[in-house]
Amino acid sequence: MKVALFGATGKTGKFMIDEALARGFEATVFARRSRSFADKRVRVVHGDLSNVDLLRDAVRGSTAVLSALGPTTLPHPKDLPITRATQAIISAMKDEDVNRLVAISTGTAPDPGDAFDWKIDLPAMLIKYLMRSTYDDIVNLAQAIRASELEWTMVRVAFLNSRAAASELNVGLYGYTRHSLTVSRKDVAAFMFDQIESRAYTRQAPGISTR
């Protein structure tokens, strides 16, 4: 099986690539032209996230697309770059008849089924008022995925770390599941790949955290 990975040149990317190879996937990594990324273990497509032809090439024949795209710099641009990139990926997926999308999101993008959880809602409020362009991109990204009509899953996380995988995770909506604020990148990658064939969280946005 094939998988296309976006955002895999970042800190979570190593774990996504390792997980893909450990599970026997043929992986294609889309890397921005500005990133001198090379990995002999995977196929790399270099280009801009606005280049529809290259996006189609990257996702073609994939069982699923996994995205770790998200705001990484401050100040974050006001023109919703992550949302626009994700919309372009969604368009390419539809063109190539690829229907499964698993993407990282955060508690800043609420789910309609969430209840109040101060550990999540307080940081989200701070981001909204102190980093408005970051907040807008996170929220609009989630809205774009929900509107896509794909078989999507958003994996919502708080603070990522590079610790070893946990023996068990908290998984569920905020306010109903007892969440901590941290989860390892290795656990996130494994959970994302679990969703490729599982439909337990199709068109859902569970939070995940370490017990």
Side-chain angles (χ1 to χ4, degrees):
M1 291 191 292
K2 297 181 179 180
V3 63
L5 306 178
F6 291 86
T9 60
K11 291 182 179 180
T12 306
K14 174 186 180 301
F15 300 95
M16 294 172 68
I17 293 170
D18 288 347
E19 195 69 29
L21 298 175
R23 299 191 185 209
F25 280 92
E26 295 179 40
T28 295
V29 172
F30 193 96
R32 294 182 178 90
R33 292 192 186 281
S34 59
R35 297 294 298 269
S36 57
F37 178 82
D39 190 324
K40 294 181 179 179
R41 302 175 300 165
V42 301
R43 174 176 175 254
V44 181
V45 175
H46 282 281
D48 299 321
L49 286 163
S50 59
N51 189 317
V52 177
D53 289 336
L54 289 176
L55 292 175
R56 288 173 182 160
D57 178 35
V59 305
R60 186 170 298 131
S62 295
T63 302
V65 169
L66 274 63
S67 174
L69 294 175
T72 58
T73 60
L74 290 174
H76 186 70
K78 295 181 179 180
D79 59 346
L80 307 178
I82 307 303
T83 300
R84 291 187 291 105
T86 302
Q87 288 171 328
I89 293 167
I90 289 168
S91 179
M93 290 176 65
K94 290 180 176 179
D95 288 344
E96 295 298 327
D97 198 27
V98 179
N99 201 36
R100 188 71 174 116
L101 173 63
V102 184
I104 291 177
S105 183
T106 77
T108 302
D111 185 272
D114 286 340
F116 178 77
D117 184 336
W118 69 269
K119 295 190 301 297
I120 303 301
D121 291 334
L122 180 56
M125 187 178 300
L126 292 174
I127 291 170
K128 181 177 182 178
Y129 289 105
L130 299 179
M131 296 181 285
R132 186 60 193 234
S133 58
T134 298
Y135 173 86
D136 287 343
D137 213 357
I138 292 170
V139 171
N140 279 277
L141 166 63
Q143 292 173 347
I145 292 173
R146 289 180 185 279
S148 69
E149 299 181 352
L150 297 174
E151 291 187 0
W152 55 266
T153 299
M154 280 185 281
V155 181
R156 292 188 293 165
V157 302
F159 298 106
L160 294 169
N161 60 55
S162 297
R163 296 174 185 166
S167 59
E168 196 172 357
L169 294 176
N170 308 303
V171 181
L173 293 176
Y174 295 120
Y176 295 100
T177 303
R178 188 172 182 178
H179 279 291
S180 70
L181 285 175
T182 62
V183 65
S184 77
R185 293 180 174 89
K186 186 173 181 60
D187 280 323
V188 172
F191 186 84
M192 292 177 76
F193 273 87
D194 286 344
Q195 307 318 305
I196 292 177
E197 295 189 43
S198 170
R199 292 299 182 266
Y201 297 104
T202 300
R203 297 196 175 96
Q204 296 182 49
I208 69 169
S209 64
T210 304
R211 291 187 184 275

